[in-house]
Amino acid sequence: MSVRPLGYSALQIRLHWIVAALVILQLIFGESTGEGFDARVEGAGSGYNTASIAHIVAGVLIGLFMVWRLVQRRGRGVPDEGTGLQALAAKVVHWAFYAVLIVAPLVGLAAWFGASEDIADLHTMVKPVLIGLIAVHVVAALYHHFILKDGLLLRMKRPQ
């Protein structure tokens, strides 16, 4: 068994925060792609506008960065997530993020380029799931920082 790092590398931290920023932008501005998608489905044009192009590009970047994060995770490893239920919860949430943030862009692309409302509905269902994951992740980080005071939150700030 290999030794786990005590913290995350500078690259892992940068990728985390870049993805976080892109996801927040997608959640805030993603709804504005609807007009373009509706036009595309109805055959009333290509559907491309600034909002739809930005959403597609940001989604592709999120998917690619998440794959890069997986490569980093596999190559360098990640700090120990502890033991017991907290560790299980951390693993479930982290792997759910990987799954959602890799699959959602693929489903979004399939919806857009297939002009499929059914697939678009599936892509839209990602939003509440993602908001729930983010809420659990943030609450857990704040719990570790303010209640447990175990320095866990600092691992995403300072490379080791």
Side-chain angles (χ1 to χ4, degrees):
M1 180 179 222
S2 63
V3 176
R4 288 179 173 265
L6 296 175
Y8 293 98
S9 70
L11 177 58
Q12 287 172 308
I13 292 169
R14 280 189 207 104
L15 288 171
H16 173 274
W17 291 112
I18 290 168
V19 168
L22 287 170
V23 166
I24 289 167
L25 290 172
Q26 292 289 69
L27 291 172
I28 293 170
F29 298 110
E31 299 292 325
S32 59
T33 62
E35 284 179 32
F37 182 76
D38 291 343
R40 190 171 182 79
V41 168
E42 294 164 7
S46 70
Y48 290 104
N49 56 37
T50 304
S52 63
I53 292 169
H55 188 75
I56 292 166
V57 169
V60 168
L61 287 173
I62 288 168
L64 292 173
F65 287 147
M66 289 305 291
V67 169
W68 192 1
R69 288 187 65 185
L70 274 176
V71 169
Q72 289 296 306
R73 182 182 187 100
R74 174 99 170 114
R76 184 181 190 278
V78 295
D80 187 20
E81 293 175 313
T83 58
L85 288 177
Q86 276 186 326
L88 177 61
K91 284 181 175 124
V92 167
V93 169
H94 286 131
W95 285 106
F97 268 125
Y98 283 105
V100 168
L101 293 175
I102 291 171
V103 172
L106 295 174
V107 172
L109 289 171
W112 183 265
F113 290 106
S116 168
E117 290 186 61
D118 292 336
I119 298 173
D121 289 343
L122 183 61
H123 181 68
T124 302
M125 290 179 359
V126 168
K127 187 173 184 176
V129 171
L130 199 49
I131 290 169
L133 286 171
I134 292 167
V136 168
H137 190 62
V138 168
V139 167
L142 294 174
Y143 172 74
H144 276 275
H145 189 71
F146 291 110
I147 306 298
L148 297 180
K149 299 180 193 236
D150 59 6
L152 182 130
L153 187 61
L154 299 176
R155 294 192 313 198
M156 256 317 139
K157 186 177 177 189
R158 291 188 216 133
Q160 290 190 349

